[in-house]
Amino acid sequence: PLLDEPQLQTRHPSRFYCFGRSINRNVAWTWAAVLAQGLADSIWAGTVLVKFLNELLGNNAYVGYIEAASGAANLIVALPVGACADRLGKGRVARWGGALIPFGVALTAYAASYGTSHPPTDSGGRLSLLLLFVAVQCLWGVVSAVGNGPAQALYADSVATGERSHAYTALFVIYLLASVVGPALTIVLFESHGEAGRTWSLTPLRNVIFAGLGFELVAMGGYLMLRDKHAVGDEEPPTDGTRPASDAEAGGGGGSGGGSGSGGSGGGSGGSGSGGGGGGGGALA
């Protein structure tokens, strides 16, 4: 059978069960979102975007302004987003961030397509594209703060306290893996354009950006599946598939339950603090 009998008896709706093991749903969806977003970032949001802007605008100062816009927007909205997440729920705010991703994808695709089709020939045209790409990066900064910060806090709340070091190591490894695979895919995409890809002209650069934006939409799915109700609670079953002891079996269950509730509250508070840092830094988004 796919699951052994003890696990079938203790299945919990907040966990995925497969091949004799289980994982919290928020943890699994966060891994999926981080993998997709890591691929997206390493394909379009780094060197490729900088080269595209430099080819398009021909001004390194403009490129710097555009790159700074994302961090500035993230910094401005991080604290209000953290307050909303504490008040309304981390999962709900993270889903708002996921819902903003299509707008960022659409605006970025439009800016890249318009810039490729209408490269500026004077200072006025360059200024217009500068403002357009500043708006694009500001939107991505907001997406990162709204989605990533609360998602990281909910991730912490969805992992048992003694397992968080392993959980964050796994999360970091997933992001590093995506950061390695993404550039490899970029090489393949550039090579598929032949000589134009090897010289990094505007058209292949635009197409690589489009490919990266596709992974952003995949990451959206992970954010939209996050739920506060799947955070670790008193009823969370152990990961080894054994049935937790009942109050009668535990002996003095009332006192034990009170202690467990206090621990759960502390874990939630710690997760909330983590979320503030995640939103401000945007390290994984």
Side-chain angles (χ1 to χ4, degrees):
L2 184 63
L3 302 176
D4 57 23
E5 190 63 23
Q7 287 177 318
L8 285 173
Q9 293 177 355
T10 60
R11 281 189 307 184
H12 195 274
S14 69
R15 303 186 72 84
F16 287 121
Y17 291 86
C18 187
F19 298 112
R21 295 183 179 273
S22 69
I23 184 172
N24 182 278
R25 291 175 182 268
N26 287 335
V27 171
W29 288 119
T30 301
W31 285 358
V34 166
L35 178 62
Q37 203 153 39
L39 288 169
D41 289 348
S42 60
I43 289 174
W44 81 271
T47 305
V48 170
L49 179 63
V50 170
K51 178 62 175 176
F52 179 83
L53 294 173
N54 186 266
E55 286 286 321
L56 185 64
L57 302 176
N59 188 318
N60 288 330
Y62 284 180
V63 177
Y65 298 149
I66 293 169
E67 289 292 309
S70 176
N74 192 308
L75 179 64
I76 291 170
V77 303
L79 288 178
V81 165
C84 286
D86 289 338
R87 187 178 184 86
L88 303 176
K90 303 176 186 71
R92 175 182 293 182
V93 176
R95 292 195 299 274
W96 291 351
L100 289 174
I101 288 178
F103 296 98
V105 169
L107 187 58
T108 306
Y110 169 76
S113 180
Y114 180 85
T116 303
S117 303
H118 304 85
T121 57
D122 54 26
S123 58
R126 282 188 287 272
L127 181 60
S128 297
L129 283 174
L130 168 65
L131 295 176
L132 177 58
F133 277 100
V134 165
V136 167
Q137 289 297 89
C138 284
L139 181 54
W140 281 116
V142 172
V143 169
S144 175
V146 175
N148 186 59
Q152 292 299 311
L154 184 59
Y155 182 78
D157 290 348
S158 301
V159 178
T161 302
E163 301 174 358
R164 286 179 182 168
S165 60
H166 298 290
Y168 276 99
T169 298
L171 194 68
F172 187 63
V173 168
I174 289 170
Y175 189 79
L176 285 181
L177 177 64
S179 299
V180 172
V181 175
L185 293 176
T186 303
I187 293 173
V188 174
L189 292 170
F190 276 124
E191 285 297 323
S192 68
H193 287 84
E195 188 60 30
R198 298 186 188 98
T199 58
W200 285 36
S201 60
L202 285 177
T203 297
L205 285 167
R206 178 203 62 192
N207 293 342
V208 171
I209 289 174
F210 286 171
L213 293 175
F215 284 104
E216 297 281 6
L217 294 175
V218 175
M220 174 189 67
Y223 284 116
L224 294 180
M225 297 304 295
L226 298 177
R227 296 291 186 275
D228 289 289
K229 66 181 181 181
H230 295 323
V232 173
D234 296 340
E235 75 284 357
E236 183 76 2
T239 56
D240 60 3
T242 59
R243 179 189 292 275
S246 65
D247 289 346
E249 292 170 340
S256 173
S260 175
S262 174
S265 175
S269 176
S272 178
S274 172
L284 293 178

